[in-house]
Amino acid sequence: MSNEIKTQVVVLGAGPGGYSAAFRAADLGLEVTLVEARSTLGGVCLNVGCIPSKALLHVAKVIDDAKEMASHGVTFGAPEIDLDKIRAWKDKVIGQLTNGLGGMAKMRKVKVVNGYGKFTGANTLQVGDTTITFEHVIIAAGSEPVALPFIPKDDRVIDSTGALELKDIPGEMLVLGGGIIGLEMGTVYRALGSKVSVVEFADQLVPAADADIVKAYTKYNSKNFNIMLSTKVTAVEAKKDGLYVTFEGKNAPANPVRYDKILVAVGRKPNGNLLDAAKAGVNVDERGFINVDKQLRTNVPHIYAIGDVIGQPMLAHKAVHEGHVAAEVISGLKHFFDPRCIPSVAYTDPEMAWVGVTEKEAKEKGIAVETATFPWAASGRAIASARTEGFTKLIFDKETHRILGGAIVGINAGEMLGEICLAVEMGADAEDIALTIHAHPTLNESIGLAAEIYEGSITDLP
Ligand code: FAD
């Protein structure tokens, strides 16, 4: 039997963008239907992305911290790894959050329709045997991992979703792609006992990040990973005893190398091409991205798009803010998406976090900048935590001394970055930051101290 639903707003996809848009639209009094192919809400982020990866990174951190304590006089036994229990814990974390979203949808009377939605016209979608007629739609269809066509299909070749399943701990693992996702998962497997190699085509890991923080990260991790920069994989042969990988480039091993598992982490592609969007008149580019204006409108005025499907950076917090804007515009508010900055964090060890313009971008755009760096070797808190490899760098407009960006490498860098984001959004200048009293001893102090260095009030650093 076919069903028919008539609604004011449909949100297609229930990831961070989609559920945020749906909840905001409902809070603003609109009648909302949320369509999701998965059996749970939360999209990639909650089910197979941000959250499960952080649950596993927490496990990795505790293992590493326990090991490190030996040099400070506390020795624990070798960790006993129970993969079933780790998986169960990770799944509990996911369940808690996705169930929470289900409750929040119910509370707001957001109708959830399970199934894969495709456009049949400019005001209609088909989800299984349900036809949905809408006044407005927000496309929040997200993205999926890019696969490499020359790599054979084999259980031992996994993507980020496969890596999060944590089926086993491979002896030798190759992470193909030195971006955030590859390095985070590499950190997990390394802590659990795998020998991890990372191969990256570019000449630095996480190519979009501030070059200095990546350098510090790479130096610290030279003992943890076999890192091959400026190198690419050209062939993979699946044999009974392992996957044999041929490399090419600056740091390529001469002969094929055997691995037990390969994690392919070379980026994500948008799902825009899978929606029959043309039937609604929506333009989708050849890569699958949907173009929008600052109000998140596509070329069809009552159809909006948000999140990974509209472009970089593919990050959950960007999707959430876009979702709010789209919902508010539909409800008649004059809102638009125009952030000064969108933060990026690699939850690696140490963490790398950056926001605003990097020095490289400033150069490309012809913006005159000056930087100030506070090395954590001079931070009481970093010394007391035995983690002095980090630093905090602030990037200022040369003329106005306003902060344009910042980059941090070190433990908790991701948590610290919020202060720099706020400073950039508020248009703070170096003096504002330098005169803000930071609690002692915190790692956050390094932000104030970097500003003081810029102002010239600190000159005697090691
Ligand atoms: P998605 O989360 O991709 O959700 C889209 C949803 O739409 C999916 O559930 C999909 O099933 C559904 N869907 C698609 N098409 C249809 C359709 N036609 N009908 C019905 N349903 C449909 N970002 C961060 O900010 N911080 C992190 O720490 C972080 N860690 C990550 C770790 C990993 C391993 C991965 C893979 C990603 C990570 N990300 C992180 C990226 C983050 O997950 C994405 O940027 C975010 O989920 C994008 O949100 P979205 O709403 O655009 O789409």
Side-chain angles (χ1 to χ4, degrees):
M1 207 182 70
S2 66
N3 299 311
E4 297 221 357
I5 295 173
K6 274 201 168 77
T7 187
Q8 282 179 301
V9 181
V10 170
V11 181
L12 188 58
Y19 71 72
S20 303
F23 294 172
R24 180 61 57 94
D27 290 344
L28 289 166
L30 296 163
E31 186 192 19
V32 182
T33 301
L34 180 58
V35 179
E36 172 54 55
R38 284 173 210 276
S39 56
T40 53
L41 304 183
V44 167
C45 179
L46 269 69
N47 291 284
V48 289
C50 328
I51 297 299
S53 59
K54 286 4 164 236
L56 297 182
L57 280 162
H58 175 64
V59 172
K61 181 180 176 338
V62 173
I63 294 172
D64 285 345
D65 283 353
K67 248 189 222 163
E68 200 253 343
M69 283 308 288
S71 54
H72 313 310
V74 183
T75 305
F76 296 91
E80 280 176 33
I81 312 277
D82 182 337
L83 282 186
D84 288 338
K85 274 199 180 159
I86 296 178
R87 254 183 258 116
W89 179 67
K90 176 203 66 172
D91 292 342
K92 190 172 158 219
V93 171
I94 295 171
Q96 189 175 337
L97 288 163
T98 54
N99 290 339
L101 286 179
M104 288 161 85
K106 212 177 232 170
M107 212 170 72
R108 291 172 164 83
K109 299 194 169 52
V110 169
K111 191 184 207 48
V112 176
V113 175
N114 273 116
Y116 200 86
K118 287 196 175 201
F119 287 97
T120 49
N123 291 86
T124 49
L125 272 165
Q126 193 68 32
V127 187
D129 55 8
T130 302
T131 304
I132 306 177
T133 308
F134 54 82
E135 290 167 28
H136 303 274
V137 63
I138 301 173
I139 302 171
S143 63
E144 59 186 52
V146 170
L148 292 174
F150 65 88
I151 297 188
K153 281 207 178 342
D154 188 294
D155 282 353
R156 296 165 295 180
V157 177
I158 54 175
D159 59 18
S160 58
T161 304
L164 290 166
E165 283 170 13
L166 206 66
K167 286 201 173 127
D168 55 17
I169 304 167
E172 293 275 352
M173 182 173 191
L174 176 67
V175 175
L176 206 171
I180 295 179
I181 293 175
L183 294 180
E184 288 186 0
M185 293 317 303
T187 304
V188 170
Y189 278 86
R190 197 254 318 133
L192 290 174
S194 295
K195 228 174 128 199
V196 178
S197 297
V198 181
V199 57
E200 167 58 50
F201 181 56
D203 61 2
Q204 78 166 41
L205 297 171
V206 200
D210 176 279
D212 290 334
I213 62 171
V214 177
K215 220 180 196 171
Y217 168 87
T218 308
K219 188 174 167 208
Y220 182 84
N221 273 291
S222 57
K223 64 178 189 283
N224 292 327
F225 299 120
N226 169 29
I227 300 170
M228 295 173 272
L229 297 175
S230 308
T231 302
K232 63 178 180 182
V233 169
T234 54
V236 176
E237 194 184 347
K239 292 190 185 171
K240 222 170 175 182
D241 69 328
L243 299 158
Y244 286 76
V245 179
T246 308
F247 298 91
E248 203 178 277
K250 203 169 163 191
N251 297 295
N255 297 311
V257 181
R258 195 198 73 83
Y259 295 96
D260 297 300
K261 245 184 193 161
I262 299 177
L263 163 60
V264 179
V266 292
R268 297 184 59 82
K269 60 170 192 261
N271 289 329
N273 279 327
L274 310 173
L275 312 171
D276 282 350
K279 290 188 181 160
V282 174
N283 295 336
V284 181
D285 77 15
E286 67 285 356
R287 290 172 303 166
F289 285 117
I290 298 175
N291 260 328
V292 292
D293 64 14
K294 283 195 168 187
Q295 291 195 308
L296 288 319
R297 273 198 176 92
T298 67
N299 59 305
V300 181
H302 67 283
I303 300 184
Y304 298 72
I306 58 173
D308 283 8
V309 80
I310 68 167
Q312 302 288 351
M314 288 188 178
L315 292 168
H317 40 274
K318 185 199 75 134
V320 167
H321 279 260
E322 289 169 345
H324 289 161
V325 171
E328 287 170 16
V329 172
I330 290 172
S331 81
L333 296 170
K334 287 191 173 56
H335 201 170
F336 60 100
F337 185 74
D338 190 24
R340 277 202 174 149
C341 59
I342 300 173
S344 296
V345 179
Y347 299 85
T348 43
D349 182 30
E351 292 186 353
M352 292 180 271
W354 68 100
V355 67
V357 291
T358 59
E359 282 169 279
K360 190 168 161 235
E361 271 167 16
K363 208 170 179 186
E364 283 162 9
K365 290 179 182 163
I367 308 169
V369 294
E370 286 175 332
T371 65
T373 298
F374 185 83
W376 289 17
S379 153
R381 189 59 188 270
I383 293 168
S385 307
R387 293 298 300 261
T388 53
E389 75 280 1
F391 63 79
T392 301
K393 170 170 154 183
L394 302 181
I395 299 168
F396 296 101
D397 183 297
K398 192 174 174 185
E399 206 175 305
T400 64
H401 296 194
R402 285 196 180 209
I403 184 160
L404 299 179
I408 308 172
V409 57
I411 51 168
N412 295 325
E415 299 291 341
M416 293 170 63
L417 193 69
E419 179 178 347
I420 303 181
C421 297
L422 187 64
V424 173
E425 277 294 339
M426 301 288 291
D429 64 20
E431 193 180 19
D432 295 323
I433 301 169
L435 289 178
T436 301
I437 300 178
H438 291 75
H440 176 77
T442 58
L443 295 168
N444 272 71
E445 263 178 309
S446 65
I447 297 173
L449 291 163
E452 285 195 53
I453 290 170
Y454 187 67
E455 290 284 283
S457 43
I458 296 179
T459 51
D460 58 347
L461 279 171

